[in-house]
């Protein structure tokens, strides 16, 4: 029996949460090594396991994989969530890459100062004016239950995760997006997704003040680091 994938990260969402979602959608059980101190993280680096000296890292199939997109692409391909041919794969990549821009901005929102209310407004503006209309149109034009082909893919899982994150910022954000509303209901009813949404799963909650403090101590960053350009790396969170 093959060993379960092992995820190395801190006890929070960050860049690892998409990996958790994809493994859950594939029905794959996994283990986690969650470090709580900078010393634990530094020991992992000193042990020579971390290429580029940063996480996420996933041990799977005898490999120590780093770089979030590489990890996700491997898992998607391994578990038949990456399309049936090259054309479907490039569509999945296009949709996911677009989602990552908004995903990263939301991920860094907890690093805002409380008075930086314009950051939340910026997120909601980008979500409703630029990103959600794209996927609403894709679903409408494609005429299928899912974004690519007619089966669940990495793009669908990532979109579902992103929708939940945006709704944590504004609960009625899908009000003017009927196809996305239908999509959200459809995906939420998939048995593996239902299971991951239940209390007690390995899904992580939004970052609170205590979790932010732990992450700050591990990764040595500070508040006020929110960026309006998600492609710029400011911390490996």
């Amino acid at each position: 029996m093959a060993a379960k994938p092992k995820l190395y990260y801190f006890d929070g969402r960050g860049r690892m949460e998409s990996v958790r979602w994809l493994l859950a959608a594939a029905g794959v059980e996994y283990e986690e090594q969650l470090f709580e101190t900078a010393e634990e993280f530094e020991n992992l680096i000193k042990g020579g396991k971390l290429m580029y000296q940063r996480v996420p890292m996933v041990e799977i199939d005898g490999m120590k994989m780093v770089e979030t997109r590489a990890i996700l692409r491997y898992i998607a391909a391994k578990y038949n969530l990456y399309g049936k041919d090259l054309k479907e794969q490039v569509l999945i990549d296009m949709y996911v890459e677009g989602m990552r821009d908004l995903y990263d901005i939301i991920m860094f929102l907890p690093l805002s100062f409380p008075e930086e209310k314009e950051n939340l407004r910026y997120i909601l503006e980008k979500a409703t004016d630029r990103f959600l209309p794209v996927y609403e149109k894709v679903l409408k034009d494609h005429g299928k239950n899912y974004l690519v082909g007619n089966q669940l893919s990495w793009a669908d899982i990532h979109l579902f995760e992103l929708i939940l994150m945006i709704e944590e910022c504004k609960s009625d954000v899908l009000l003017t997006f009927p196809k996305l509303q239908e999509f959200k209901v459809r995906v939420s009813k998939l048995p593996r997704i239902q299971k991951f949404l239940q209390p007690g799963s390995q899904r992580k909650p939004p970052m609170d003040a205590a979790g932010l403090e732990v992450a700050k101590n591990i990764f040595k960053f500070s508040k006020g680091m929110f960026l309006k350009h998600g492609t710029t790396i400011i911390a490996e969170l």
Side-chain angles (χ1 to χ4, degrees):
M1 184 176 179
K4 294 179 182 179
K6 188 170 184 179
L7 282 52
Y8 293 80
Y9 209 54
F10 78 105
D11 191 11
R13 287 182 180 176
R15 299 193 185 278
M16 187 65 88
E17 192 70 359
S18 292
V19 178
R20 298 183 183 108
W21 268 103
L22 200 56
L23 288 170
V28 178
E29 295 183 358
Y30 57 89
E31 299 174 351
E32 296 189 271
Q33 181 170 318
L34 303 173
F35 38 85
E36 299 179 352
T37 66
E39 183 180 9
E40 290 175 297
F41 180 43
E42 289 163 5
N43 286 339
L44 196 61
I45 294 173
K46 291 175 182 177
K49 290 185 176 182
L50 286 182
M51 185 184 294
Y52 310 122
Q53 300 184 8
R54 62 192 187 194
V55 288
M57 183 179 78
V58 175
E59 286 187 344
I60 183 171
D61 295 340
M63 297 182 288
K64 294 179 175 63
M65 299 187 68
V66 297
E67 295 303 312
T68 311
R69 287 170 176 77
I71 295 167
L72 290 167
R73 194 168 286 110
Y74 181 86
I75 293 169
K78 179 179 174 68
Y79 295 108
N80 197 31
L81 293 166
Y82 198 31
K84 70 178 187 297
D85 56 32
L86 190 59
K87 288 184 177 180
E88 288 194 355
Q89 289 173 359
V90 76
L91 285 173
I92 290 168
D93 283 342
M94 285 168 53
Y95 297 153
V96 168
E97 288 300 317
M99 293 176 211
R100 290 303 304 186
D101 289 342
L102 182 59
Y103 186 100
D104 284 354
I105 295 170
I106 297 174
M107 183 176 65
F108 289 122
L109 182 61
L111 302 180
S112 300
F113 287 116
E115 62 271 17
E116 292 182 305
K117 295 180 181 180
E118 70 276 7
N119 291 337
L120 178 57
R121 289 195 294 269
Y122 178 84
I123 286 171
L124 295 174
E125 176 186 311
K126 290 298 180 187
T128 56
D129 293 350
R130 179 182 295 182
F131 293 99
L132 294 181
V134 169
Y135 305 111
E136 178 77 9
K137 185 176 188 300
V138 169
L139 289 167
K140 181 179 179 180
D141 293 350
H142 187 46
K144 306 290 186 181
N145 288 337
Y146 301 110
L147 291 170
V148 179
N150 197 27
Q151 67 177 38
L152 188 72
S153 76
W154 169 24
D156 299 302
I157 300 306
H158 202 44
L159 177 57
F160 183 75
E161 179 192 3
L162 181 61
I163 286 172
L164 296 184
M165 291 174 67
I166 302 169
E167 287 183 330
E168 288 171 352
C169 299
K170 188 175 189 292
S171 61
D172 64 349
V173 72
L174 294 186
L175 194 61
T176 59
F177 301 102
K179 290 296 181 183
L180 286 173
Q181 291 178 43
E182 295 170 4
F183 171 85
K184 179 193 170 189
V185 171
R186 185 183 307 119
V187 174
S188 69
K189 291 181 178 179
L190 297 174
R192 291 170 178 171
I193 300 301
Q194 279 188 325
K195 182 178 179 181
F196 196 58
L197 289 170
Q198 294 302 309
S201 78
Q202 288 170 290
R203 181 187 177 208
K204 304 304 179 186
M207 183 176 286
D208 59 15
L212 178 59
E213 198 62 32
V214 170
K216 285 167 55 180
N217 291 334
I218 292 171
F219 297 111
K220 310 300 184 186
F221 59 74
S222 60
K223 298 198 75 171
M225 297 173 69
F226 180 92
L227 288 189
K228 292 186 177 180
H229 303 286
T231 54
T232 303
I233 298 174
I234 60 173
E236 285 305 313
L237 178 57

